[in-house]
Every structure is written in structure tokens, then in C-alpha cells.
């Protein structure tokens, strides 16, 4: 019924609030997206415990039907590596924009320590795979984390 349909924006806001309230979790480093009650967590944290805590916090929010926890683990950055990561992110974003098979507006790109995270709800498995190929081909990319989720119909 219409009364049971929970607005994705309010679920998203509630998940973000739950992350902020989670002890020892750098909530500002976790990206949250919601589509039809499915919550996608992406970004970078330093420990598995932080990743698990974020997933548990999101699962506990009313209106969440499923949590796709694609948060990557990466150590804290140095100033030099932050600069390199900014360049890598720019190169990957440019490559994705230039690829006719990728709707780059659906994908968030983040880099930490040369590890690139591609996140977002995408329209097809084919596009997701192409985006991963494009990102892996860029110079300076050590590895690519697939934090994309094909939109449920």
C-alpha cells in the first residue's frame, strides 16, 4: 500500500544519522545511497570492524530492505598520496565520461592509496563491467573496488 512505501530520501537521511551515531566510525568517509529501500554503502574505512559497524547500523534503520556494504578498507593517507589520489580520481572520472557505454553520472569515483572505488546504482551489469574495465586501465590505479549495484526492476 502507499502507506508502506518509505521515501528513499528519508531512509538515506536516517542511515546517515545512524552512521554518525556509531562509535569509532568515521561516518564522513562513508557514502550512502538508497534506491527502493536498498542501501548502498561505499567509501573507505581503516578496519573491518568499522565496515561491519556501518553495515549493522544501516540494517537497523526502518525502511531498509537490504544493505549492500561495499565499503573498502584502506589505511590513513599521507599528504603526498592524497594528491596522487586526487589525480587518479580525475583521470578515472574523465575516462568514464569519455566512454559511450558508461553513464558516468550514475557512478561516484573515490580513490585512497591508489585503490579506486566505483559506487552507485547503475542501470545494467554490462555498464558496471565496462566501468570497472575503464577504471582498471588508468595509470596509477592499483586496484578497483566494485561498489556499484545494478538497480532492481
Amino acid at each position: 500500500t502507499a502507506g508502506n512505501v518509505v521515501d528513499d530520501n528519508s531512509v538515506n537521511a536516517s542511515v546517515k544519522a545512524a552512521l554518525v551515531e556509531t562509535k569509532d566510525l568515521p561516518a564522513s568517509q562513508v557514502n550512502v545511497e538508497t534506491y527502493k529501500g536498498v542501501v548502498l554503502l561505499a567509501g573507505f574505512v581503516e578496519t573491518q570492524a568499522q565496515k561491519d559497524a556501518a553495515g549493522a547500523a544501516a540494517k537497523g534503520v526502518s525502511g531498509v530492505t537490504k544493505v549492500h556494504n561495499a565499503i573498502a578498507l584502506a589505511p590513513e593517507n599521507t599528504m603526498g598520496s592524497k594528491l596522487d589520489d586526487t589525480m587518479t580520481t580525475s583521470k578515472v572520472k574523465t575516462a568514464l565520461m569519455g566512454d559511450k557505454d558508461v553513464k558516468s553520472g550514475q557512478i561516484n569515483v573515490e580513490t585512497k592509496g591508489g585503490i579506486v572505488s566505483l559506487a552507485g546504482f547503475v542501470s545494467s551489469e554490462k555498464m558496471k563491467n565496462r566501468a570497472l574495465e575503464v577504471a582498471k586501465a588508468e595509470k596509477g590505479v592499483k586496484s578497483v573496488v566494485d561498489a556499484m549495484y545494478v538497480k532492481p526492476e
Side-chain angles (χ1 to χ4, degrees), residues 40-150:
L40 172 62
L41 299 177
F44 293 93
V45 295
E46 291 179 42
T47 68
Q48 185 65 45
Q50 290 173 326
K51 177 180 177 170
D52 294 343
K59 280 185 182 111
V61 171
S62 173
V64 173
T65 56
K66 183 176 181 182
V67 174
H68 181 63
N69 189 345
I71 298 170
L73 303 179
E76 194 47 57
N77 265 353
T78 62
M79 207 53 214
S81 70
K82 279 183 183 166
L83 221 67
D84 292 344
D85 288 345
T86 301
M87 290 294 294
T88 301
T89 296
S90 294
K91 288 195 293 190
V92 171
K93 281 181 177 177
T94 302
L96 290 173
M97 277 189 257
D99 193 285
K100 65 178 176 32
D101 297 322
V102 177
K103 291 185 181 125
S104 61
Q106 295 180 352
I107 302 171
N108 297 318
V109 181
E110 228 182 313
T111 309
K112 191 164 185 185
I115 301 166
V116 175
S117 172
L118 300 181
F121 285 97
V122 295
S123 39
S124 72
E125 195 68 35
K126 182 182 175 205
M127 185 178 107
K128 175 176 140 168
N129 292 335
R130 180 63 188 144
L132 292 168
E133 277 174 38
V134 169
K136 284 176 184 160
E138 282 305 305
K139 195 171 182 281
V141 174
K142 290 180 186 165
S143 65
V144 179
V145 176
D146 176 7
M148 294 174 287
Y149 193 85
V150 179

Side-chain angles (χ1 to χ4, degrees), residues 1-59:
T1 66
N4 292 345
V5 177
V6 179
D7 181 46
D8 284 338
N9 289 336
S10 62
V11 169
N12 215 52
S14 297
V15 170
K16 286 180 180 177
L19 294 177
V20 168
E21 290 167 11
T22 303
K23 191 177 183 301
D24 299 326
L25 178 68
S28 64
Q29 294 176 31
V30 178
N31 302 320
V32 181
E33 282 188 60
T34 307
Y35 181 80
K36 293 187 177 177
V38 177
V39 172
L40 172 62
L41 299 177
F44 293 93
V45 295
E46 291 179 42
T47 68
Q48 185 65 45
Q50 290 173 326
K51 177 180 177 170
D52 294 343
K59 280 185 182 111

